[in-house]
Amino acid sequence: MQFDEVVYRIRIAAGGGLLKKKTKSEERVILKGISGMVLPGEMLAMLGPSGSGKTTLLTALGGRLGGHLAGSITYNGKPFSNAMKRNTGFVTQDDVLYPHLTVTETLVYTALLRLPRTLSKGEKAEHAEAVIAQLGLSRCRNSIIGGPFLRGVSGGERKRVSIGQEMLINPSLLFLDEPTSGLDSTTAQKIVSTLWELANGGRTVVMTIHQPSSRLFYMFHKVLLLSEGNPLYFGKGAAVLDYFSSVGFAPSVAMNPADFLLDLANGVATAESNEDQAAIKQSLVNAYKTQLSAAVKSELDVDSSLHTPTNDRKLKRWSNTWLDQFSVLFRRGIKERKHESFSTIKIVQVLVVAILTGLLWWQSPVDHLQDQVGLFFFYSGFWGFYPLFQAIFTFPQERMMLSKERASGMYRLSSYFMALTLGDLPMELVLPTVFYAITYWMAGLKHTAGAFFSGLFVLLYSVLCSQGLGLAIGAAVMDQKSATTLGSVIMLTFLLASGYYVQHVPAFIAWIKYISISQYTFKLLLSSQYESDQIYRCGTNQTCFVRDFPSIKTVGIGGRGSIVAVLAMAVMLVLYRLIAYVALMRVGVTRN
């Protein structure tokens, strides 16, 4: 891999607000002409203080950085391509893993998605087992990954699982962003030793690392030192101290070379130095340009015999078929999300509300029509909000995983979206079914199978529509707080316009009811329980038609109105999910 004069610029948006004067947008240069080369069998470590551009450069070299990127980055003499993506592993600093899956399940599912379709499921599982053994994960193979609030494997084991996911494809080029971050020195030593063995096996390993110990430092074949986006050194790790001594910067005491390099990158020459830090940094930048830059450029002129030809035409874009991807993602999604969908707190919440509702409406007679109408409105409100907020968090929580896996070319966005949508159906419909069954019989509603099942169908239909709206809001906003606020406003608007609270809505705002899930749900629930010519006792010796009851008359029951409601909700069912899918494509979680 070669990179020559890599420059990266970003434009910082103008600031300001209602009370602040807006400032002009400005362009900032993050990487300032960085060059280098790393060969098979070598491990390159990129060092520098926070904000020096290490992660940005690594992301650029891994083919995952868009924007104003200039310069040349080649792999075997060619630019980044689908062929390179299949032979490149990228381990992010944060271990993005599903917490409820075991180590074995995590690697097996990854193998099923990333390894080519020419291998059988059994052979892919064998590859996963081999990686588990290679990375020393056999002891924790059946332990769950865990998370911030769920006890699982240790930090070092979690990092090795992340590396193992990339090792499954037997990458010729492996990128790692801070693989030792947050680990103790012994665990960090094990991780880097594993990477050193991989490099010695003929792979190319490139990593960023913040402050390695001296033992780790001497494992690096090559070192790249950055300061504020400028290269200060590129070359063999063993020669770094000699170079800086030759330009007038030598450690005054015996110390870890990595610590000394970080001091220089921060503009600190010696512990007792009072020199201007900016002047020291500029001196080091000038020294690199005059003494090292030409040598690095000449090294880039490598003999073409080192280049391994790749035939992109023979390589299909996807490792597996759409159906295979859907099948694996469907099974993985159910196994992971069932813990959240059927968590104890959610089950208790729904059961408590159901029992309380049943007691409040206990054996409500049809003559108390206002009470029964209120129950159906409560159905439409509660099961409008509940699935909406469950769905709103789906994509914001999944975004990092989706970005990571899509950037690796693991699956199509459509297969992921369909697997998530269909996989959630059984889990999302169980709790409202239980809720409805409890409250229906406790409230003493119509004792016929037709009324019961038609009402249940309407409720589940409403749940699916509200879930779709939640998915659309979550995908479009991708911020949990903002999405929750927007979802609350929209659902409250639907409830207010549904005809229960206000029966004489002004014409200029009455159009809201035509896009209200709550209004259609309320109408269909009433139609499932009452008939247009049904009567009830509205006075001491007086009867009235149900259709003339104020709350019912506003929305209407039966007839063409019910057909329109069913069709309108069908449109919403499809439209909201389509919006969610398009939003996922627009927010930048896809890269191919």
Side-chain angles (χ1 to χ4, degrees):
M1 180 186 67
Q2 298 176 331
F3 46 102
D4 186 16
E5 291 296 325
V6 175
V7 177
Y8 182 65
R9 295 179 173 86
I10 61 170
R11 182 165 293 280
I12 301 174
L18 291 175
L19 303 178
K20 294 181 179 180
K21 185 179 180 180
K22 286 190 175 182
T23 59
K24 293 182 179 180
S25 61
E26 60 175 310
E27 189 178 71
R28 180 177 297 176
V29 183
I30 305 300
L31 302 176
K32 303 171 183 177
I34 302 173
S35 302
M37 181 182 69
V38 57
L39 302 173
E42 291 183 339
M43 182 161 62
L44 167 65
M46 296 190 286
L47 282 75
S50 299
S52 61
K54 303 188 302 294
T55 297
T56 303
L57 178 59
L58 187 80
T59 308
L61 297 179
R64 300 185 177 211
L65 188 65
H68 303 286
L69 183 65
S72 170
I73 303 175
T74 58
Y75 315 80
N76 292 335
K78 295 183 178 181
F80 193 79
S81 63
N82 284 331
M84 273 309 305
K85 178 179 288 189
R86 293 289 160 76
N87 292 296
T88 301
F90 197 104
V91 182
T92 57
Q93 181 175 352
D94 297 320
D95 300 314
V96 184
L97 302 166
Y98 284 117
H100 292 98
L101 298 183
T102 66
V103 170
T104 300
E105 288 170 343
T106 299
L107 292 174
V108 167
Y109 282 129
T110 304
L112 292 173
L113 289 168
R114 296 194 72 173
L115 295 180
R117 71 192 74 170
T118 53
L119 299 176
S120 66
K121 291 182 179 179
E123 290 172 327
K124 292 180 180 181
E126 288 177 4
H127 276 276
E129 293 292 343
V131 168
I132 288 174
Q134 183 181 9
L135 295 178
L137 294 169
S138 300
R139 185 178 62 85
C140 62
R141 54 179 296 119
N142 295 319
S143 301
I144 62 171
I145 299 297
F149 306 106
L150 182 65
R151 187 178 179 86
V153 299
S154 67
E157 289 167 337
R158 190 178 292 112
K159 179 61 66 177
R160 275 182 278 167
V161 172
S162 296
I163 295 173
Q165 286 186 307
E166 305 304 317
M167 290 303 303
L168 283 167
I169 59 171
N170 192 25
S172 57
L173 182 56
L174 181 61
F175 296 97
L176 305 101
D177 189 12
E178 301 277 4
T180 62
S181 177
L183 303 179
D184 61 80
S185 59
T186 303
T187 305
Q189 173 78 19
K190 291 179 180 178
I191 294 290
V192 176
S193 295
T194 301
L195 297 173
W196 186 83
E197 291 173 1
L198 295 176
N200 279 357
R203 295 179 178 87
T204 303
V205 178
V206 181
M207 72 172 76
T208 64
I209 193 163
H210 184 63
Q211 203 161 5
S213 66
S214 56
R215 285 194 302 172
L216 297 186
F217 183 84
Y218 288 112
M219 289 184 177
F220 305 142
H221 300 97
K222 287 182 177 178
V223 170
L224 172 61
L225 179 64
L226 298 175
S227 176
E228 298 177 355
N230 293 296
L232 303 185
Y233 176 81
F234 178 80
K236 294 181 179 179
V240 64
L241 293 181
D242 292 337
Y243 165 75
F244 282 110
S245 295
S246 69
V247 296
F249 295 95
S252 56
V253 295
M255 62 188 301
N256 178 0
D259 293 338
F260 175 65
L261 295 183
L262 284 175
D263 284 344
L264 291 179
N266 281 306
V268 180
T270 63
E272 297 81 16
S273 174
N274 292 318
E275 295 180 61
D276 181 57
Q277 292 184 355
I280 293 174
K281 291 179 184 178
Q282 189 57 49
S283 173
L284 291 169
V285 170
N286 293 336
Y288 176 86
K289 290 179 178 178
T290 57
Q291 300 199 31
L292 265 186
S293 181
V296 172
K297 289 294 182 66
S298 64
E299 188 180 352
L300 296 181
D301 299 326
V302 185
D303 186 7
S304 60
S305 62
L306 290 172
H307 297 159
T308 305
T310 55
N311 192 342
D312 290 3
R313 294 182 180 179
K314 292 183 179 180
L315 189 74
K316 295 185 177 180
R317 184 175 183 185
W318 304 105
S319 298
N320 295 281
T321 64
W322 188 95
L323 191 59
D324 288 337
Q325 293 172 1
F326 170 82
S327 175
V328 175
L329 292 169
F330 183 84
R331 286 183 281 120
R332 187 182 72 172
I334 288 181
K335 186 175 283 286
E336 171 60 29
R337 285 193 292 276
K338 69 181 180 182
H339 298 280
E340 183 178 352
S341 297
F342 296 127
S343 64
T344 303
I345 191 169
K346 288 186 179 179
I347 294 173
V348 170
Q349 176 188 10
V350 170
L351 290 179
V352 168
V353 175
I355 293 171
L356 183 61
T357 302
L359 292 174
L360 287 172
W361 272 276
W362 179 261
Q363 298 301 311
S364 175
V366 70
D367 292 336
H368 296 166
L369 194 57
Q370 176 61 39
D371 290 347
Q372 290 196 356
V373 171
L375 176 60
F376 292 123
F377 184 76
F378 175 73
Y379 279 159
S380 66
F382 183 76
W383 288 109
F385 271 101
Y386 191 87
L388 175 81
F389 287 116
Q390 298 300 314
I392 272 179
F393 300 127
T394 300
F395 290 126
Q397 290 174 344
E398 291 261 324
R399 183 176 187 175
M400 290 181 67
M401 180 66 74
L402 186 58
S403 297
K404 168 191 166 184
E405 294 184 337
R406 287 278 294 155
S408 298
M410 287 176 65
Y411 47 74
R412 301 165 177 84
L413 181 61
S414 57
S415 60
Y416 164 83
F417 189 82
M418 288 301 296
L420 181 141
T421 302
L422 297 181
D424 281 350
L425 286 184
M427 295 183 285
E428 295 297 329
L429 299 182
V430 169
L431 289 180
T433 301
V434 172
F435 180 94
Y436 181 79
I438 292 173
T439 55
Y440 190 93
W441 300 112
M442 289 182 71
L445 299 177
K446 187 181 290 186
H447 290 189
T448 63
F452 175 82
F453 285 109
S454 60
L456 177 61
F457 169 78
V458 171
L459 188 66
L460 298 183
Y461 200 25
S462 169
V463 167
L464 294 179
C465 291
S466 297
Q467 182 195 39
L469 176 59
L471 292 174
I473 294 172
V477 178
M478 277 296 179
D479 176 79
Q480 293 186 7
K481 289 184 178 180
S482 301
T484 301
T485 302
L486 180 60
S488 300
V489 171
I490 291 175
M491 191 53 69
L492 283 172
T493 304
F494 286 171
L495 283 174
L496 291 173
S498 60
Y500 181 79
Y501 292 122
V502 186
Q503 284 143 27
H504 302 287
V505 181
F508 67 86
I509 201 172
W511 58 269
I512 295 177
K513 68 181 181 181
Y514 297 112
I515 60 171
S516 170
I517 299 173
S518 305
Q519 192 259 356
Y520 291 125
T521 303
F522 185 40
K523 178 196 289 286
L524 291 175
L525 284 172
L526 292 174
S527 299
S528 72
Q529 191 70 20
Y530 308 116
E531 297 176 4
S532 180
D533 57 355
Q534 185 176 340
I535 60 173
Y536 71 101
R537 186 176 288 109
C538 56
T540 306
N541 294 309
Q542 185 180 1
T543 58
C544 303
F545 285 110
V546 168
R547 65 173 179 265
D548 294 329
F549 188 76
S551 298
I552 296 178
K553 187 176 182 180
T554 304
V555 298
I557 57 173
R560 268 178 50 186
S562 296
I563 297 174
V564 171
V566 171
L567 294 177
M569 291 179 73
V571 172
M572 293 179 186
L573 187 71
V574 176
L575 180 62
Y576 288 144
R577 283 168 171 77
L578 184 61
I579 292 173
Y581 183 82
V582 173
L584 283 182
M585 298 171 65
R586 292 186 61 195
V587 296
V589 296
T590 61
R591 295 184 186 275
N592 46 20

